Amino acid sequence: MERINLTKYIIITGGVVSSIGKGITSASMGRILRSYGLKVSAIKIDPYLNWDSGTLNPYQHGEVFVTHDGMETDLDLGHYERFLDVELDGIANITTGKVYESVIAKEREGGYLGECVQVIPHITNRIKEMIRANSESADYDVVLVELGGTVGDIESQPFLEALRQLRNEEGRDNVMFVHVTFIPYLNAAGEFKTKPTQHSTKELRSVGINPDVIVCRSQEHIDDALLAKVAHFCDVDVNAVVNTPDAGTIYEVPLVLEDKNIGEFIVKRIGLDVEADSSKLDEWRGVVDSIKNAESEVTIGIVGKYVELEDSYISIRESLLHAAASIGVKAKIKYLSSDVEKLDEDALKEFDGILIPGGFGERGFEGKLDAVDYAIENDVPLFGICLGMQSIVTQFARRNGYPEANSSEFGDDIVDPVIDMMEEQKKIKNMGGTMRLGSYDCKIIEGTKTFEAYGEIDIEERHRHRYEFNNDYRDDLQEKGLIISGTSPDDFLVEIVEVPNHPWAIGCQFHPEFKSRPNRPHPLFKAFLEAIYEYSKN
Ligand code: GLN
């Protein structure tokens, strides 16, 4: 079959267990190739039936990452954007739900008249089309395709088959497979065990896919003899079995892989016309050094209700780390549950800065208001994001003449709904993909702390919410001192607020955490960290 285009593909599968960092591994390989000067993109395939991750529970799946074009996606897209320093389109997240929905819609339109519509070829063809749509969206040299879950999952089967076909159609020289597995250490036996990796590789081979590279994740360093054993049993080049033990920071993983010459291996294997020059990662090395070597430390409290699973706030955590590193401090991040009767003041006292993240539903909201109140009273730097901004507005209103202020998200009979639903949202019945989503323009008001942070008037930020600042209260709250430092370009929607007479207390309706990069921290996070550092000196 004819080649479709010149894009090369690196397909990443997982074996043995989930949560071993396939996303970081994929993003790291992408970072290496991007540093060599290649144009790289990445796709995440999630084999679950949900159409997108917008309706998934953050306790189980972690954060919902929002792309610039408003797709609610898997958090791995956040890793890709941060490591590759790109903005991905929503089509970079493929789910079983999206695949089947489009095939069924086509069948209803009569697109397959007379045919019996089947997994092979109709579903597999559609999967390949969706992958290629990504490569064609911009002339990419390399597209990484990460298949979620582990090999052997029933839901993954059509995807593995499609990926195998993709290799045949694009040509073996243009497609390679990387299998990421886990090598457990058995205390009782005093040794690492490679058998689960052998089995998962066998499983992969049973669907016609031989991995070119095996990345062995482990808690501790594994020696070369054992890796050679994996190479032997799994029929993979000895140079292509690499160990990535748990790293101090995820940003180190590209360097670990580069040290093992994986970049060079990939370049040769799929014939990329570029020099595998390790010095090209020097800028990245610099970023990793600044993350690792910062001297002074500040403690930042994230006060929210999804604190049991740190992945729920992963982009926020990373943004704090980027910003801290950029000003030479280390951010120690602590998570405090807001889902309590009364927030523990002693716990709050530990924090040099308080961040209230986004969230949904009433549970834990009063705890967030307690944290806001504490930060306002004690001049502690405060950053509210989305529901966090709504918390700041609500608490400011309660302190200034509206003791019953609340968001209408939390009841139909709110006396003073300082946060309310927009008219167009009220008509919407479906829950999936119907919020105010994706990038919107915002105008910053000069003379504010927000302007000091951004240094420009016209910005663009990503949203994911249904409720907004209620303009009925705008004039009065402003009269009472609330600073409105950012609005929609037509001045209608309040996007950013500042608490007056406070060193740094800012809330934004959007999610700045989606745009922070390790080498380019987000201006609001950077300004927040600077305020925190100042506060920590007192
Ligand atoms: N629940 C709030 C809303 O829908 C905030 C959403 C969020 O924090 N992402 O407006």
Side-chain angles (χ1 to χ4, degrees), residues 442-491:
C442 173
K443 188 180 73 194
I444 305 293
I445 316 299
E446 280 179 87
T448 59
K449 290 208 171 73
T450 307
F451 181 77
E452 259 172 56
Y454 278 101
E456 56 186 340
I457 290 172
D458 299 313
I459 57 149
E460 235 179 72
E461 295 283 0
R462 298 186 202 172
H463 291 248
R464 180 176 186 249
H465 55 101
R466 286 201 169 79
Y467 295 82
E468 301 278 353
F469 184 106
N470 185 346
N471 278 336
D472 292 347
Y473 294 86
R474 186 160 165 179
D475 289 344
D476 194 46
L477 290 179
Q478 267 185 300
E479 227 159 79
K480 286 169 172 156
L482 188 71
I483 298 159
I484 290 172
S485 55
T487 65
S488 54
D490 62 1
D491 195 42

Short mmCIF file of all heavy atoms in Angstrom, two decimals, residues 442-491:
data_model
loop_
_atom_site.label_atom_id
_atom_site.label_comp_id
_atom_site.label_asym_id
_atom_site.label_seq_id
_atom_site.Cartn_x
_atom_site.Cartn_y
_atom_site.Cartn_z
N CYS A 442 -8.75 37.45 26.74
CA CYS A 442 -9.00 38.17 27.98
C CYS A 442 -8.23 39.49 27.91
O CYS A 442 -7.15 39.54 27.31
CB CYS A 442 -8.53 37.31 29.15
SG CYS A 442 -8.58 38.12 30.75
N LYS A 443 -8.80 40.51 28.50
CA LYS A 443 -8.16 41.84 28.49
C LYS A 443 -7.73 42.16 29.92
O LYS A 443 -8.54 42.11 30.84
CB LYS A 443 -9.22 42.84 28.01
CG LYS A 443 -8.72 44.24 27.75
CD LYS A 443 -9.88 45.11 27.28
CE LYS A 443 -10.79 45.41 28.44
NZ LYS A 443 -12.08 45.96 28.18
N ILE A 444 -6.45 42.48 30.08
CA ILE A 444 -5.93 42.78 31.42
C ILE A 444 -6.01 44.30 31.66
O ILE A 444 -5.73 45.09 30.76
CB ILE A 444 -4.46 42.33 31.55
CG1 ILE A 444 -4.31 40.84 31.19
CG2 ILE A 444 -3.92 42.60 32.94
CD1 ILE A 444 -4.97 39.89 32.12
N ILE A 445 -6.37 44.64 32.88
CA ILE A 445 -6.50 46.07 33.21
C ILE A 445 -5.15 46.58 33.73
O ILE A 445 -4.59 46.01 34.68
CB ILE A 445 -7.60 46.29 34.29
CG1 ILE A 445 -8.86 45.46 33.99
CG2 ILE A 445 -7.89 47.78 34.48
CD1 ILE A 445 -9.57 45.74 32.69
N GLU A 446 -4.69 47.65 33.12
CA GLU A 446 -3.38 48.20 33.53
C GLU A 446 -3.42 48.72 34.96
O GLU A 446 -4.48 49.09 35.46
CB GLU A 446 -2.97 49.31 32.56
CG GLU A 446 -2.38 48.75 31.28
CD GLU A 446 -1.99 49.83 30.30
OE1 GLU A 446 -0.85 50.32 30.40
OE2 GLU A 446 -2.82 50.16 29.44
N GLY A 447 -2.27 48.74 35.58
CA GLY A 447 -2.18 49.26 36.93
C GLY A 447 -2.53 48.23 38.00
O GLY A 447 -2.55 48.53 39.19
N THR A 448 -2.79 47.00 37.58
CA THR A 448 -3.13 45.95 38.55
C THR A 448 -1.92 45.02 38.75
O THR A 448 -0.97 45.03 37.95
CB THR A 448 -4.30 45.09 38.04
OG1 THR A 448 -3.93 44.52 36.78
CG2 THR A 448 -5.56 45.94 37.86
N LYS A 449 -1.99 44.20 39.80
CA LYS A 449 -0.92 43.21 40.02
C LYS A 449 -0.93 42.19 38.89
O LYS A 449 0.11 41.65 38.50
CB LYS A 449 -1.14 42.50 41.35
CG LYS A 449 -0.89 43.40 42.55
CD LYS A 449 -0.46 42.56 43.76
CE LYS A 449 0.00 43.44 44.89
NZ LYS A 449 -1.10 44.16 45.57
N THR A 450 -2.12 41.93 38.37
CA THR A 450 -2.24 40.99 37.26
C THR A 450 -1.46 41.52 36.05
O THR A 450 -0.74 40.77 35.38
CB THR A 450 -3.72 40.80 36.88
OG1 THR A 450 -4.44 40.46 38.06
CG2 THR A 450 -3.90 39.74 35.84
N PHE A 451 -1.59 42.83 35.80
CA PHE A 451 -0.86 43.43 34.68
C PHE A 451 0.64 43.35 34.93
O PHE A 451 1.42 43.04 34.02
CB PHE A 451 -1.30 44.87 34.43
CG PHE A 451 -0.59 45.50 33.26
CD1 PHE A 451 -0.96 45.19 31.96
CD2 PHE A 451 0.50 46.35 33.45
CE1 PHE A 451 -0.28 45.73 30.87
CE2 PHE A 451 1.19 46.89 32.37
CZ PHE A 451 0.79 46.58 31.08
N GLU A 452 1.03 43.61 36.19
CA GLU A 452 2.46 43.49 36.53
C GLU A 452 2.98 42.09 36.17
O GLU A 452 4.09 41.93 35.71
CB GLU A 452 2.64 43.65 38.04
CG GLU A 452 3.13 45.00 38.49
CD GLU A 452 3.07 45.07 40.02
OE1 GLU A 452 3.66 44.21 40.70
OE2 GLU A 452 2.39 46.00 40.51
N ALA A 453 2.14 41.07 36.43
CA ALA A 453 2.56 39.70 36.17
C ALA A 453 2.67 39.43 34.67
O ALA A 453 3.69 38.92 34.19
CB ALA A 453 1.59 38.71 36.81
N TYR A 454 1.64 39.78 33.93
CA TYR A 454 1.61 39.46 32.50
C TYR A 454 2.46 40.41 31.67
O TYR A 454 3.03 40.01 30.65
CB TYR A 454 0.18 39.52 31.96
CG TYR A 454 -0.66 38.28 32.21
CD1 TYR A 454 -1.60 38.24 33.22
CD2 TYR A 454 -0.53 37.15 31.39
CE1 TYR A 454 -2.40 37.12 33.43
CE2 TYR A 454 -1.32 36.02 31.58
CZ TYR A 454 -2.26 36.02 32.60
OH TYR A 454 -3.04 34.91 32.81
N GLY A 455 2.46 41.69 32.08
CA GLY A 455 3.18 42.68 31.28
C GLY A 455 2.55 42.95 29.93
O GLY A 455 3.18 43.50 29.04
N GLU A 456 1.32 42.51 29.73
CA GLU A 456 0.62 42.80 28.47
C GLU A 456 -0.89 42.81 28.71
O GLU A 456 -1.37 42.29 29.72
CB GLU A 456 1.00 41.81 27.37
CG GLU A 456 0.78 40.36 27.73
CD GLU A 456 1.30 39.39 26.66
OE1 GLU A 456 1.48 39.80 25.51
OE2 GLU A 456 1.49 38.22 27.01
N ILE A 457 -1.60 43.38 27.75
CA ILE A 457 -3.03 43.56 27.92
C ILE A 457 -3.84 42.41 27.34
O ILE A 457 -4.78 41.92 27.96
CB ILE A 457 -3.46 44.91 27.29
CG1 ILE A 457 -2.90 46.06 28.14
CG2 ILE A 457 -4.99 45.02 27.19
CD1 ILE A 457 -3.08 47.43 27.56
N ASP A 458 -3.44 41.97 26.16
CA ASP A 458 -4.24 40.93 25.50
C ASP A 458 -3.64 39.56 25.74
O ASP A 458 -2.53 39.27 25.31
CB ASP A 458 -4.29 41.21 23.99
CG ASP A 458 -4.94 42.54 23.72
OD1 ASP A 458 -6.01 42.80 24.30
OD2 ASP A 458 -4.37 43.34 22.93
N ILE A 459 -4.41 38.74 26.42
CA ILE A 459 -3.93 37.38 26.68
C ILE A 459 -5.02 36.39 26.26
O ILE A 459 -6.14 36.78 25.93
CB ILE A 459 -3.58 37.17 28.18
CG1 ILE A 459 -4.81 37.49 29.06
CG2 ILE A 459 -2.41 38.03 28.58
CD1 ILE A 459 -4.88 36.69 30.30
N GLU A 460 -4.67 35.12 26.32
CA GLU A 460 -5.59 34.05 25.96
C GLU A 460 -5.42 32.95 26.98
O GLU A 460 -4.29 32.57 27.28
CB GLU A 460 -5.12 33.48 24.62
CG GLU A 460 -6.13 33.45 23.52
CD GLU A 460 -5.48 32.89 22.27
OE1 GLU A 460 -5.23 31.67 22.23
OE2 GLU A 460 -5.20 33.69 21.36
N GLU A 461 -6.51 32.48 27.56
CA GLU A 461 -6.38 31.42 28.56
C GLU A 461 -7.49 30.38 28.36
O GLU A 461 -8.51 30.66 27.75
CB GLU A 461 -6.45 32.01 29.97
CG GLU A 461 -5.30 32.94 30.32
CD GLU A 461 -3.99 32.23 30.67
OE1 GLU A 461 -3.93 30.98 30.63
OE2 GLU A 461 -3.01 32.95 30.98
N ARG A 462 -7.26 29.21 28.94
CA ARG A 462 -8.21 28.10 28.73
C ARG A 462 -9.22 27.97 29.88
O ARG A 462 -8.84 28.04 31.05
CB ARG A 462 -7.44 26.79 28.61
CG ARG A 462 -6.51 26.80 27.42
CD ARG A 462 -5.86 25.44 27.24
NE ARG A 462 -4.63 25.59 26.47
CZ ARG A 462 -3.76 24.63 26.27
NH1 ARG A 462 -3.97 23.43 26.80
NH2 ARG A 462 -2.67 24.85 25.56
N HIS A 463 -10.45 27.74 29.51
CA HIS A 463 -11.54 27.67 30.50
C HIS A 463 -12.16 26.28 30.59
O HIS A 463 -12.09 25.50 29.65
CB HIS A 463 -12.65 28.64 30.10
CG HIS A 463 -12.25 30.08 30.22
ND1 HIS A 463 -12.80 30.91 31.16
CD2 HIS A 463 -11.35 30.83 29.53
CE1 HIS A 463 -12.26 32.12 31.03
NE2 HIS A 463 -11.38 32.09 30.05
N ARG A 464 -12.81 26.03 31.73
CA ARG A 464 -13.63 24.82 31.89
C ARG A 464 -14.58 25.03 33.07
O ARG A 464 -14.27 24.68 34.22
CB ARG A 464 -12.74 23.60 32.16
CG ARG A 464 -13.54 22.31 32.33
CD ARG A 464 -12.63 21.10 32.49
NE ARG A 464 -13.40 19.89 32.51
CZ ARG A 464 -13.55 19.10 33.57
NH1 ARG A 464 -12.97 19.41 34.72
NH2 ARG A 464 -14.28 18.00 33.50
N HIS A 465 -15.70 25.66 32.81
CA HIS A 465 -16.65 25.94 33.90
C HIS A 465 -18.01 26.32 33.35
O HIS A 465 -18.14 26.64 32.16
CB HIS A 465 -16.12 27.07 34.79
CG HIS A 465 -15.82 28.31 34.01
ND1 HIS A 465 -16.65 29.39 33.96
CD2 HIS A 465 -14.77 28.62 33.18
CE1 HIS A 465 -16.14 30.32 33.16
NE2 HIS A 465 -15.00 29.87 32.67
N ARG A 466 -19.02 26.29 34.21
CA ARG A 466 -20.38 26.69 33.82
C ARG A 466 -20.77 28.03 34.44
O ARG A 466 -21.58 28.75 33.92
CB ARG A 466 -21.40 25.67 34.32
CG ARG A 466 -21.40 24.40 33.56
CD ARG A 466 -22.69 23.60 33.70
NE ARG A 466 -22.63 22.55 32.70
CZ ARG A 466 -21.92 21.44 32.85
NH1 ARG A 466 -21.27 21.21 33.97
NH2 ARG A 466 -21.87 20.54 31.89
N TYR A 467 -20.19 28.31 35.60
CA TYR A 467 -20.62 29.49 36.37
C TYR A 467 -19.65 30.64 36.17
O TYR A 467 -18.49 30.44 35.82
CB TYR A 467 -20.75 29.11 37.85
CG TYR A 467 -21.84 28.09 38.07
CD1 TYR A 467 -21.61 26.74 37.86
CD2 TYR A 467 -23.12 28.50 38.43
CE1 TYR A 467 -22.62 25.81 38.01
CE2 TYR A 467 -24.14 27.57 38.59
CZ TYR A 467 -23.88 26.23 38.38
OH TYR A 467 -24.89 25.31 38.53
N GLU A 468 -20.17 31.85 36.43
CA GLU A 468 -19.39 33.07 36.20
C GLU A 468 -19.64 34.06 37.33
O GLU A 468 -20.66 33.98 38.03
CB GLU A 468 -19.86 33.76 34.90
CG GLU A 468 -19.77 32.94 33.64
CD GLU A 468 -18.38 32.92 33.02
OE1 GLU A 468 -17.50 33.67 33.51
OE2 GLU A 468 -18.19 32.15 32.07
N PHE A 469 -18.79 35.04 37.42
CA PHE A 469 -19.00 36.19 38.30
C PHE A 469 -20.33 36.84 37.89
O PHE A 469 -20.55 37.11 36.70
CB PHE A 469 -17.84 37.17 38.09
CG PHE A 469 -17.86 38.37 38.99
CD1 PHE A 469 -16.97 38.46 40.04
CD2 PHE A 469 -18.74 39.43 38.77
CE1 PHE A 469 -16.96 39.58 40.87
CE2 PHE A 469 -18.74 40.55 39.59
CZ PHE A 469 -17.85 40.61 40.64
N ASN A 470 -21.20 37.12 38.87
CA ASN A 470 -22.51 37.69 38.59
C ASN A 470 -22.42 39.22 38.50
O ASN A 470 -22.17 39.90 39.51
CB ASN A 470 -23.49 37.26 39.69
CG ASN A 470 -24.90 37.71 39.42
OD1 ASN A 470 -25.14 38.56 38.56
ND2 ASN A 470 -25.84 37.14 40.17
N ASN A 471 -22.67 39.77 37.31
CA ASN A 471 -22.51 41.22 37.10
C ASN A 471 -23.46 42.07 37.93
O ASN A 471 -23.21 43.26 38.12
CB ASN A 471 -22.67 41.55 35.61
CG ASN A 471 -21.38 41.30 34.84
OD1 ASN A 471 -20.29 41.31 35.43
ND2 ASN A 471 -21.49 41.05 33.55
N ASP A 472 -24.53 41.46 38.46
CA ASP A 472 -25.45 42.23 39.31
C ASP A 472 -24.71 42.78 40.55
O ASP A 472 -25.17 43.73 41.17
CB ASP A 472 -26.61 41.36 39.81
CG ASP A 472 -27.54 40.97 38.67
OD1 ASP A 472 -27.41 41.58 37.58
OD2 ASP A 472 -28.37 40.07 38.86
N TYR A 473 -23.64 42.12 40.92
CA TYR A 473 -22.91 42.51 42.14
C TYR A 473 -21.62 43.27 41.82
O TYR A 473 -20.87 43.64 42.72
CB TYR A 473 -22.57 41.27 42.98
CG TYR A 473 -23.81 40.59 43.52
CD1 TYR A 473 -24.49 39.64 42.76
CD2 TYR A 473 -24.32 40.92 44.77
CE1 TYR A 473 -25.63 39.03 43.23
CE2 TYR A 473 -25.48 40.32 45.26
CZ TYR A 473 -26.13 39.38 44.48
OH TYR A 473 -27.27 38.78 44.95
N ARG A 474 -21.37 43.45 40.53
CA ARG A 474 -20.06 43.99 40.11
C ARG A 474 -19.79 45.39 40.67
O ARG A 474 -18.75 45.62 41.31
CB ARG A 474 -20.00 43.99 38.59
CG ARG A 474 -18.67 44.37 38.01
CD ARG A 474 -18.63 43.86 36.58
NE ARG A 474 -17.59 44.44 35.79
CZ ARG A 474 -17.36 44.12 34.52
NH1 ARG A 474 -18.11 43.22 33.92
NH2 ARG A 474 -16.38 44.67 33.85
N ASP A 475 -20.72 46.31 40.43
CA ASP A 475 -20.47 47.70 40.85
C ASP A 475 -20.29 47.78 42.36
O ASP A 475 -19.37 48.43 42.86
CB ASP A 475 -21.64 48.60 40.43
CG ASP A 475 -21.64 48.80 38.92
OD1 ASP A 475 -20.60 48.51 38.30
OD2 ASP A 475 -22.69 49.21 38.38
N ASP A 476 -21.18 47.10 43.07
CA ASP A 476 -21.12 47.20 44.53
C ASP A 476 -19.84 46.58 45.09
O ASP A 476 -19.18 47.18 45.95
CB ASP A 476 -22.36 46.53 45.14
CG ASP A 476 -22.48 46.92 46.61
OD1 ASP A 476 -22.35 48.14 46.90
OD2 ASP A 476 -22.66 46.03 47.45
N LEU A 477 -19.47 45.40 44.59
CA LEU A 477 -18.24 44.77 45.12
C LEU A 477 -17.01 45.61 44.75
O LEU A 477 -16.07 45.72 45.53
CB LEU A 477 -18.11 43.33 44.61
CG LEU A 477 -19.11 42.32 45.19
CD1 LEU A 477 -18.91 40.94 44.60
CD2 LEU A 477 -19.02 42.24 46.72
N GLN A 478 -17.05 46.22 43.58
CA GLN A 478 -15.92 47.09 43.19
C GLN A 478 -15.85 48.29 44.11
O GLN A 478 -14.77 48.70 44.54
CB GLN A 478 -16.08 47.54 41.75
CG GLN A 478 -15.36 46.62 40.78
CD GLN A 478 -15.40 47.12 39.35
OE1 GLN A 478 -16.47 47.29 38.78
NE2 GLN A 478 -14.24 47.35 38.78
N GLU A 479 -17.03 48.83 44.44
CA GLU A 479 -17.05 49.97 45.35
C GLU A 479 -16.46 49.59 46.70
O GLU A 479 -15.82 50.39 47.37
CB GLU A 479 -18.50 50.40 45.56
CG GLU A 479 -18.70 51.90 45.42
CD GLU A 479 -20.14 52.19 45.11
OE1 GLU A 479 -20.94 52.17 46.08
OE2 GLU A 479 -20.47 52.39 43.92
N LYS A 480 -16.67 48.33 47.06
CA LYS A 480 -16.14 47.87 48.35
C LYS A 480 -14.67 47.47 48.24
O LYS A 480 -14.09 46.96 49.20
CB LYS A 480 -16.99 46.72 48.86
CG LYS A 480 -18.33 47.27 49.36
CD LYS A 480 -19.32 46.20 49.62
CE LYS A 480 -20.52 46.86 50.31
NZ LYS A 480 -21.75 46.07 50.10
N GLY A 481 -14.09 47.67 47.08
CA GLY A 481 -12.65 47.49 46.96
C GLY A 481 -12.20 46.37 46.05
O GLY A 481 -11.02 46.31 45.67
N LEU A 482 -13.07 45.44 45.73
CA LEU A 482 -12.65 44.31 44.89
C LEU A 482 -12.10 44.87 43.57
O LEU A 482 -12.72 45.72 42.94
CB LEU A 482 -13.82 43.36 44.61
CG LEU A 482 -13.43 42.07 43.90
CD1 LEU A 482 -12.66 41.13 44.83
CD2 LEU A 482 -14.66 41.34 43.35
N ILE A 483 -10.93 44.37 43.19
CA ILE A 483 -10.31 44.86 41.96
C ILE A 483 -10.60 43.86 40.85
O ILE A 483 -10.34 42.66 40.99
CB ILE A 483 -8.78 45.00 42.14
CG1 ILE A 483 -8.49 46.03 43.25
CG2 ILE A 483 -8.10 45.39 40.83
CD1 ILE A 483 -7.11 45.89 43.86
N ILE A 484 -11.17 44.37 39.77
CA ILE A 484 -11.38 43.51 38.61
C ILE A 484 -10.23 43.78 37.66
O ILE A 484 -10.09 44.87 37.12
CB ILE A 484 -12.77 43.77 37.99
CG1 ILE A 484 -13.80 43.23 38.99
CG2 ILE A 484 -12.91 43.07 36.63
CD1 ILE A 484 -15.22 43.54 38.69
N SER A 485 -9.36 42.78 37.51
CA SER A 485 -8.12 43.04 36.79
C SER A 485 -8.07 42.38 35.42
O SER A 485 -7.10 42.55 34.68
CB SER A 485 -6.93 42.59 37.64
OG SER A 485 -7.07 41.24 38.00
N GLY A 486 -9.12 41.64 35.07
CA GLY A 486 -9.17 41.03 33.74
C GLY A 486 -10.61 40.74 33.37
O GLY A 486 -11.39 40.28 34.22
N THR A 487 -10.98 41.05 32.14
CA THR A 487 -12.35 40.78 31.67
C THR A 487 -12.29 40.23 30.26
O THR A 487 -11.25 40.29 29.59
CB THR A 487 -13.19 42.07 31.62
OG1 THR A 487 -12.64 42.93 30.63
CG2 THR A 487 -13.24 42.79 32.96
N SER A 488 -13.44 39.73 29.79
CA SER A 488 -13.53 39.37 28.38
C SER A 488 -13.35 40.66 27.57
O SER A 488 -13.60 41.75 28.10
CB SER A 488 -14.88 38.72 28.10
OG SER A 488 -15.93 39.55 28.53
N PRO A 489 -12.90 40.56 26.32
CA PRO A 489 -12.61 41.78 25.56
C PRO A 489 -13.78 42.75 25.51
O PRO A 489 -13.59 43.97 25.47
CB PRO A 489 -12.26 41.25 24.16
CG PRO A 489 -11.76 39.87 24.41
CD PRO A 489 -12.54 39.34 25.57
N ASP A 490 -15.03 42.24 25.56
CA ASP A 490 -16.18 43.15 25.53
C ASP A 490 -16.54 43.66 26.93
O ASP A 490 -17.58 44.29 27.13
CB ASP A 490 -17.39 42.46 24.90
CG ASP A 490 -17.85 41.24 25.70
OD1 ASP A 490 -17.23 40.95 26.76
OD2 ASP A 490 -18.80 40.56 25.29
N ASP A 491 -15.71 43.33 27.91
CA ASP A 491 -15.87 43.78 29.28
C ASP A 491 -17.05 43.11 30.01
O ASP A 491 -17.37 43.45 31.14
CB ASP A 491 -16.04 45.32 29.31
CG ASP A 491 -15.86 45.88 30.70
OD1 ASP A 491 -14.92 45.42 31.38
OD2 ASP A 491 -16.65 46.75 31.12
#
